[in-house]
Amino acid sequence: MTESLILRELLATEPGWVSGGMIASKLGVSRVSIWHQMEKLRAQGFGFEAQPARGYRLTRRPKSLHAGLIEAQLRVRRKGFSFMILDEVDSTNDEAARQLAAGRPAPFAVFARRQTKGRGRFGRVWHSEANGNLYSSFAFRPRLAPERMQTFTLWMGVTICELVSKFVPVPPAVKWPNDIVFDGRKAGGMLTEARVDADQIRDLVFGLGLNVNSPRNGWPGDLARSAVSLSELAGGPVDINRMTAALIGRVLLAYERFADGEHLDTFAELWNKYDVLKGREVSLTEAGRSRKGRVLGIDDVGSLLLRDEKGRTRGYRAGEVTIDKGG
Ligand code: BTN
């Protein structure tokens, strides 16, 4: 806690100086204890310049996820929210589900530097090396009807587009139902999972994998063509701790709005802004069957509306969409 408060003071005056005595009196601790904390932070990848007359200033931050640095950059501290950062885990979605089952108070988030069993839709593998990308899951205990899960993911999709558009100069898009893309290349994927009791969601895990800082030539096989990282689009490294703090703020706010049913107008507007499929000729593969059609949009429950060549319109709840050539 003291750690994040010290960092908050240093960040607030960056690139200027802040006096050790000032931090100490603000936090109600001794100057020696501040000095000890700063030495600890140095060992974790921070750099400080220290001058007797001026105090301290921040010169370097860790490149990998750091709890204190995320905490220090949270704009709003939401009561009851907690998060954990793991070096390695099977899947952050699975860890979140285990924590929920063990009774951890929600909302909370699980972040990992690496996953050994990262999962995507349809049981696919989500490539999850320790390569500067973000593997995250947010856990909630909502009182929602299960059929609202699809729109929840779509709403989160536009929320993530709003977030990443603050970090890269290229406009993001959401590809129904769960991809964050830039010009056809995937920068993020979402996986929402829920346990359902009778006709209510008992708990819900929103998983997000975001390609933040992976090097361009670091992708294996096909991913080299189909994946892109934000750093590549930004032309340099993206501050993953600042981004994670912003992500927490946005996801929690988006969740609250969704749970209160206050998201509808904004959702319609943002879906229009970020939807990459509207009006396109696509193929949708669902349970081994492929259908072709033009995308009209989505319906109230988040199904994709396709009009086939005979002019018939049908909504699809699930499936894999590819944009047809020339479509
Ligand atoms: C997809 O595009 O198919 C969804 C990918 C979701 C990946 C994220 S990474 C964090 C969380 N943990 C997982 O095992 N999966 C999600």
Side-chain angles (χ1 to χ4, degrees), residues 89-95 110 112 115 117-128 134-138 178-180 186 188-193 205-210 320:
V89 71
D90 48 0
S91 150
T92 53
N93 268 31
D94 291 344
E95 180 59 29
V110 179
Q115 297 183 117
K117 286 192 185 137
R119 293 183 282 113
R121 282 205 313 154
F122 308 119
R124 290 189 192 130
V125 170
W126 184 258
H127 184 73
S128 305
L134 185 67
Y135 313 110
S136 63
S137 298
F138 289 79
N178 72 327
D179 294 356
I180 307 298
K186 186 156 164 172
M190 300 174 288
L191 184 67
T192 307
E193 296 176 312
V205 174
F206 167 67
L208 169 73
L210 205 51
E320 179 80 11

Side-chain angles (χ1 to χ4, degrees), residues 125-291:
V125 170
W126 184 258
H127 184 73
S128 305
E129 267 181 74
N131 55 6
N133 289 343
L134 185 67
Y135 313 110
S136 63
S137 298
F138 289 79
F140 303 100
R141 290 199 175 86
R143 287 212 193 109
L144 292 176
E147 54 273 19
R148 291 193 65 202
M149 244 175 82
Q150 176 86 305
T151 32
F152 178 78
T153 308
L154 304 180
W155 167 238
M156 284 299 166
V158 297
T159 300
I160 303 307
C161 284
E162 288 280 274
L163 168 82
V164 296
S165 65
K166 300 282 181 279
F167 287 80
V168 295
V170 196
V174 58
K175 178 169 165 268
W176 182 94
N178 72 327
D179 294 356
I180 307 298
V181 296
F182 287 88
D183 203 10
R185 289 199 290 163
K186 186 156 164 172
M190 300 174 288
L191 184 67
T192 307
E193 296 176 312
R195 283 194 299 173
V196 177
D197 275 339
D199 52 1
Q200 252 202 2
I201 292 177
R202 187 195 317 173
D203 47 41
L204 182 146
V205 174
F206 167 67
L208 169 73
L210 205 51
N211 304 333
V212 182
N213 281 321
S214 48
R216 188 177 183 152
N217 49 16
W219 297 109
D222 272 2
L223 287 179
R225 232 178 350 97
S226 60
V228 66
S229 69
L230 301 180
S231 58
E232 195 183 323
L233 299 159
V238 169
D239 182 339
I240 197 165
N241 288 299
R242 191 164 76 82
M243 170 165 264
T244 303
L247 172 73
I248 293 173
R250 283 190 185 260
V251 168
L252 294 184
L253 182 65
Y255 170 77
E256 283 164 16
R257 285 197 177 169
F258 186 87
D260 295 344
E262 281 170 11
H263 65 299
L264 288 169
D265 290 349
T266 322
F267 176 53
E269 183 192 316
L270 293 179
W271 186 260
N272 240 347
K273 176 171 174 190
Y274 291 117
D275 173 22
V276 74
L277 296 180
K278 181 124 191 224
R280 311 292 291 268
E281 292 288 345
V282 303
S283 299
L284 179 137
T285 312
E286 183 214 16
R289 279 189 66 184
S290 184
R291 279 122 171 153

